Amino acid sequence: MEKKDYLKTTVEHVDFTKINAVEIIRAMRGMSFTARDLAVAAEIYDAMLADEDCAVILTIAGSTSAAGCMQVYADLVRHNMVDAIVATGATIVDMDFFEALGFRHYQGTPHVDDQELRRLYIDRIYDTYIDEEELQICDRTVREIADGLSPRPYSSREFIREMGRYLTSHAVKKNSLVQTAFEQDVPIFCPAFSDSSAGFGLVLHQANHPDSHVSIDSVKDFRELTMIKMAVENSGLLMIGGGVPKNFAQDTVICAEVLGKEVPMHRYAIQITVADARDGACSSSTLREATSWGKVDVSYEQMVYAEATSVLPLLASYVYHQGNWKKRRQRRLAQTLA
């Protein structure tokens, strides 16, 4: 088989604005297990948007963007349902920015000869394929952006904003998360930014400019996100997966305390995850456990144990069609860090 035989059926991204899930979520409220957990989570997210004092922080880990939820995240920003984002570098660069450049993810199968895929330069995410040659173009585009910036340390938020600026004149796909967040002044943080195509691109940049180059300051990331928490005070978390993005967002409460300012714990919190709590982690603690650290209030919290692509579109659709997002003021938090 040739490469084109594998890369022929594209992943299509779900549009939650065209599907009204209000009635099914309401029906799930009367059920049990994950169905009821999801319904409670949807109600909590809707309450975040109805609370005029609450800023919503979205955290994203895992590969949901590659798997069909890419438009979900962009539309949450577009419709003022998210005020700040913390994500993995792969979510932002290898998936969203990658597609903004005109490339695609493809439906595949886990039952495949991975040595054959390697020979053809096809990368696999479970049942999803990516053209490695196209991904390396993404790497080099990151290098190009870095080459055009003044040499100094940048937070990932600052660099991703420059990626969004680049897309305003170079994007093939116009509705990406990176570009939409740039246009809406929604800051995006990637605490482990180099663990992605951004890392390869920045290594290329630094190798070509060893004495004067761009670098990423993850401590500045932490300080900037904490400054946002101190400015808004009241906040809610919508967490897809866990790991570094989840813990990074939760820790802003503690960091503010270290800086001498007492801020409220995150008032609302939802986590969609398949992780297990029995290993002492649950991809960075359960929400109730986080209360012992002073991070999350337990009044409005819900764990949803499910694979996110199966429940996130339903949750987003419910909240969108409830309409409380229409009454929110736009915070444009990136402007507070300019």
Side-chain angles (χ1 to χ4, degrees), residues 81-123:
M81 300 162 75
V82 165
D83 301 300
I85 298 169
V86 185
T88 59
T91 292
I92 298 304
V93 188
D94 300 29
M95 299 173 195
D96 184 81
F97 186 73
F98 172 81
E99 286 210 359
L101 296 177
F103 307 124
R104 296 299 302 268
H105 294 79
Y106 295 88
Q107 292 183 353
T109 173
H111 309 295
V112 66
D113 183 345
D114 285 289
Q115 291 183 332
E116 169 77 355
L117 294 185
R118 179 57 187 165
R119 181 182 69 80
L120 295 171
Y121 251 43
I122 297 172
D123 301 326

Side-chain angles (χ1 to χ4, degrees), residues 102-148:
F103 307 124
R104 296 299 302 268
H105 294 79
Y106 295 88
Q107 292 183 353
T109 173
H111 309 295
V112 66
D113 183 345
D114 285 289
Q115 291 183 332
E116 169 77 355
L117 294 185
R118 179 57 187 165
R119 181 182 69 80
L120 295 171
Y121 251 43
I122 297 172
D123 301 326
R124 180 170 70 87
I125 307 173
Y126 185 59
D127 63 354
T128 301
Y129 299 153
I130 310 168
D131 187 330
E132 171 63 24
E133 291 175 291
E134 293 176 345
L135 200 54
Q136 290 188 12
I137 294 173
C138 184
D139 302 342
R140 292 193 293 272
T141 304
V142 170
R143 181 202 63 189
E144 178 186 339
I145 293 169
D147 287 348

Side-chain angles (χ1 to χ4, degrees), residues 22-261:
V22 170
E23 292 307 317
I24 193 170
I25 292 292
R26 286 176 178 167
M28 286 177 168
R29 191 65 166 89
M31 296 171 67
S32 293
F33 311 149
T34 301
R36 190 163 69 215
D37 289 344
L38 175 60
V40 172
E43 291 171 358
I44 291 173
Y45 186 21
D46 195 38
M48 290 188 214
L49 300 182
D51 185 342
E52 62 181 17
D53 295 326
C54 178
V56 178
I57 301 173
L58 169 67
T59 78
I60 313 169
S63 300
T64 50
S65 288
C69 288
M70 194 174 292
Q71 188 174 339
V72 171
Y73 299 127
D75 282 345
L76 290 179
V77 171
R78 184 171 295 106
H79 296 296
N80 195 30
M81 300 162 75
V82 165
D83 301 300
I85 298 169
V86 185
T88 59
T91 292
I92 298 304
V93 188
D94 300 29
M95 299 173 195
D96 184 81
F97 186 73
F98 172 81
E99 286 210 359
L101 296 177
F103 307 124
R104 296 299 302 268
H105 294 79
Y106 295 88
Q107 292 183 353
T109 173
H111 309 295
V112 66
D113 183 345
D114 285 289
Q115 291 183 332
E116 169 77 355
L117 294 185
R118 179 57 187 165
R119 181 182 69 80
L120 295 171
Y121 251 43
I122 297 172
D123 301 326
R124 180 170 70 87
I125 307 173
Y126 185 59
D127 63 354
T128 301
Y129 299 153
I130 310 168
D131 187 330
E132 171 63 24
E133 291 175 291
E134 293 176 345
L135 200 54
Q136 290 188 12
I137 294 173
C138 184
D139 302 342
R140 292 193 293 272
T141 304
V142 170
R143 181 202 63 189
E144 178 186 339
I145 293 169
D147 287 348
L149 297 177
S150 300
R152 65 172 176 85
Y154 290 76
S155 66
S156 67
R157 192 265 321 166
E158 290 177 295
F159 193 88
I160 293 165
R161 184 164 175 79
E162 294 305 319
M163 291 167 60
R165 192 188 312 278
Y166 175 90
L167 290 177
T168 60
S169 56
H170 294 84
V172 176
K173 172 185 167 184
K174 299 297 184 182
N175 62 344
S176 70
L177 173 60
V178 171
Q179 183 175 346
T180 303
F182 170 77
E183 293 168 346
Q184 301 286 343
D185 286 318
V186 170
I188 300 176
F189 297 87
C190 291
F193 191 51
S194 295
D195 186 19
S196 68
S197 271
F200 297 116
L202 289 170
V203 166
L204 282 170
H205 163 73
Q206 291 193 3
N208 291 337
H209 303 85
D211 299 320
S212 182
H213 52 249
V214 167
S215 61
I216 301 299
D217 185 345
S218 64
V219 176
K220 190 174 184 182
D221 275 335
F222 197 12
R223 182 168 59 86
E224 287 186 349
L225 188 60
T226 301
M227 288 168 60
I228 285 176
K229 173 60 177 170
M230 291 191 296
V232 301
E233 294 199 347
N234 294 308
S235 54
L237 302 174
L238 173 59
M239 297 177 286
I240 313 305
V244 171
K246 172 188 174 182
N247 205 51
F248 192 76
Q250 288 188 143
D251 274 348
T252 56
V253 181
I254 310 303
C255 191
E257 182 179 325
V258 168
L259 292 174
K261 180 167 182 178

Side-chain angles (χ1 to χ4, degrees), residues 246 250 271 276-278 280-291 293 296 301 303 305:
K246 172 188 174 182
Q250 288 188 143
Q271 183 181 7
D276 197 322
R278 292 176 298 176
C282 193
S283 203
S284 186
S285 83
T286 64
L287 299 176
R288 288 187 175 274
E289 182 183 316
T291 303
W293 294 77
V296 175
E301 59 84 21
M303 300 289 300
Y305 291 98

